[in-house]
């Protein structure tokens, strides 16, 4: 594939410096770029690479305009990282062949299922009775759409992903391989030293523009549905338990987990391996650092961090209680030091 940088500048709405006819064939890092590569500089820490890169064109911010122009062709935009994201989508759409519309001969589409115009049902895929796959959606090879499930327009279920019976995903979503949407939540009642299963009677509802990473699990609700609102992005190997509600445009990094019935607001970020215990409320605009354990509701927007060494439980509780008062103890100590001659 080839693209002229003049066309790319027009696509990105940026100012072009250099020959608009110059052709690039790939997007790459500044460090490994060649003359046929377009790169980008989003982090000022890597500005030194501008002087040494061999890239045929570099996407930069206005602050880097002069430095970029001194070394060659550039496209100047307001946000280079966002421009890179949009360019990557444009590039991928032209490089990756879309599956043919229609139902593969080896797929199973049960009676009563509805497959919309231009949708693709891949080899060995399953679409259950009463399910709806809307126009332009892709159910890839060996993917599973359960009975009465719903796949929105243009959504892609990657190979070996699962949308269980009665669950829904809106338009333009992506569910990566191995993800399971709608497995049973973890519900058991103790009975004479044994566990009696509580049937999970709810479902999972995913909004529009949601992306679910590989091997992530979102459990169906016990009674009400588990709900993930529009624009939520969830990385690989994330666990979302039953009856969790996640607000629009919140993002989860890999290996994070949320226990049951917790409510998380809009525009939050959850760092890798962070854990949130059940039945809490996290307000809008909360950012949780990697490996943080959240054990209480957060009602004020901000950035929260907490990593504490493990210990036997009784000692841990005592140390944790002391740690909460450490700041006030420090202030008292400073006051005493000032009074001491």
């Amino acid at each position: 594939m080839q693209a002229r940088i003049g066309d790319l500048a027009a696509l990105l709405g940026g100012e072009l410096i250099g020959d608009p006819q110059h052709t690039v064939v790939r997007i790459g890092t500044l460090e490994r770029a060649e003359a046929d590569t377009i790169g980008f500089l989003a982090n000022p820490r890597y500005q030194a690479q501008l002087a040494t890169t061999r890239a045929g064109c570099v996407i930069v911010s206005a602050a880097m305009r002069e430095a970029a122009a001194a070394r060659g062709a550039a496209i100047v935009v307001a946000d280079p990282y966002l421009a890179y994201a949009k360019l990557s989508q444009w590039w991928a759409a032209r490089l990756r062949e879309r599956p043919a519309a229609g139902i593969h001969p080896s797929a199973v589409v049960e009676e009563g299922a509805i497959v919309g115009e231009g949708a693709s049902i891949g080899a060995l895929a399953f679409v259950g009775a009463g399910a709806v796959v809307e126009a332009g959606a892709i159910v890839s090879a060996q993917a599973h759409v359960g009975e009465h499930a719903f796949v929105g327009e243009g959504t892609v279920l990657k190979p070996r992903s699962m949308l269980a019976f009665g669950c829904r995903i809106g338009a333009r979503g992506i569910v990566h391989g191995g993800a399971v949407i709608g497995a049973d939540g973890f519900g058991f009642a103790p009975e004479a030293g044994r566990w009696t299963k509580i049937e999970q009677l709810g479902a999972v509802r995913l909004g529009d523009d949601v992306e679910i990473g590989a091997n992530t699990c979102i459990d169906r609700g016990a009674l009400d549905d588990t709900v993930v609102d529009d624009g939520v992005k969830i990385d690989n190997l994330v666990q979302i338990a039953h009856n969790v509600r996640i607000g629009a445009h919140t993002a989860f990094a890999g290996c994070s987990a949320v226990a049951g019935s917790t409510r998380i607001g809009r525009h939050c970020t959850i760092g890798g391996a962070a854990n949130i215990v059940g039945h809490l409320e996290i307000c809008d605009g909360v950012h949780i650092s990697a490996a943080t354990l959240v054990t209480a509701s957060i009602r004020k927007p901000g950035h929260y961090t907490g990593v504490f060494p493990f210990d036997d439980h009784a000692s841990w509780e005592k140390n944790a209680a002391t740690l909460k008062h450490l700041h006030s103890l420090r202030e008292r100590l400073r006051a005493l030091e000032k009074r001491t001659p």
Side-chain angles (χ1 to χ4, degrees):
M1 176 177 154
Q2 296 183 347
R4 293 178 299 184
I5 62 173
D7 295 334
L8 298 183
L11 171 73
L12 300 174
E15 175 197 0
L16 176 64
I17 300 170
D19 179 7
Q21 301 302 317
H22 182 79
T23 299
V24 292
V25 301
R26 59 186 291 268
I27 307 172
T29 63
L30 296 184
E31 187 178 12
R32 294 181 174 84
E34 299 293 338
D36 61 359
T37 305
I38 183 169
F40 72 99
L41 177 63
N43 192 327
R45 289 187 301 175
Y46 299 111
Q47 182 178 352
Q49 292 185 4
L50 275 177
T52 58
T53 185
R54 299 172 64 185
C57 183
V58 180
I59 301 170
V60 297
S61 68
M64 302 291 177
R65 185 185 187 283
E66 298 308 318
R71 48 82 45 203
I75 299 173
V76 183
V77 296
D79 185 340
Y81 198 61
L82 179 59
Y84 158 63
K86 292 180 177 180
L87 179 59
S88 72
Q89 291 184 10
W90 182 88
W91 209 280
R94 285 151 181 79
L95 277 181
R96 297 173 184 170
E97 187 174 345
R98 179 183 170 84
I103 301 170
H104 192 277
S106 66
V108 175
V109 178
E110 292 190 331
E111 186 175 353
I114 298 172
V115 177
E117 182 179 355
S120 173
I121 311 298
L124 302 176
F126 173 84
V127 180
V132 175
V133 179
E134 287 205 318
I138 298 173
V139 179
S140 301
Q142 298 183 315
H144 177 102
V145 179
E147 296 83 353
H148 301 287
F150 179 90
V151 180
E153 184 174 350
T155 284
V156 179
L157 304 186
K158 298 281 190 173
R160 297 193 178 184
S161 59
M162 176 180 179
L163 184 70
F165 66 94
C167 296
R168 299 175 62 89
I169 181 170
R172 301 174 301 278
I174 302 173
V175 180
H176 289 277
V180 177
I181 313 301
D184 280 356
F186 192 70
F188 300 90
E191 179 186 16
R194 302 172 65 182
W195 297 105
T196 297
K197 182 175 178 62
I198 300 170
E199 290 294 341
Q200 305 293 288
L201 304 178
V204 176
R205 288 188 283 124
L206 308 179
D208 296 338
D209 302 299
V210 169
E211 182 161 351
I212 308 299
N215 293 324
T216 281
C217 296
I218 304 178
D219 293 342
R220 65 194 315 115
L223 294 173
D224 296 330
D225 294 345
T226 302
V227 178
V228 177
D229 284 343
D230 295 347
V232 169
K233 311 300 182 187
I234 301 179
D235 197 1
N236 303 337
L237 295 166
V238 173
Q239 164 66 24
I240 306 295
H242 57 185
N243 298 110
V244 168
R245 297 182 71 94
I246 301 171
H249 307 293
T250 284
F252 291 77
C255 297
S256 53
V258 184
S261 299
T262 283
R263 292 173 176 258
I264 299 174
R266 299 163 57 92
H267 299 287
C268 297
T269 56
I270 314 300
N275 287 272
I276 303 173
V277 303
H279 302 274
L280 303 184
E281 291 190 13
I282 309 297
C283 70
D284 297 348
V286 168
H287 307 286
I288 297 171
S289 296
T292 292
L293 174 62
V294 179
T295 59
S297 293
I298 300 175
R299 307 189 190 280
K300 181 180 177 181
H303 191 173
Y304 294 82
T305 303
V307 181
F308 199 77
F310 82 96
D311 202 344
D312 68 87
H313 189 69
S315 297
W316 184 90
E317 283 189 319
K318 293 174 184 176
N319 289 331
T322 301
L323 187 64
K324 289 180 67 175
H325 299 286
L326 190 59
H327 179 74
S328 62
L329 288 171
R330 184 185 68 174
E331 295 306 309
R332 289 170 60 188
L333 180 59
R334 284 180 173 176
L336 286 170
E337 287 175 338
K338 288 180 180 178
R339 290 200 298 266
T340 302

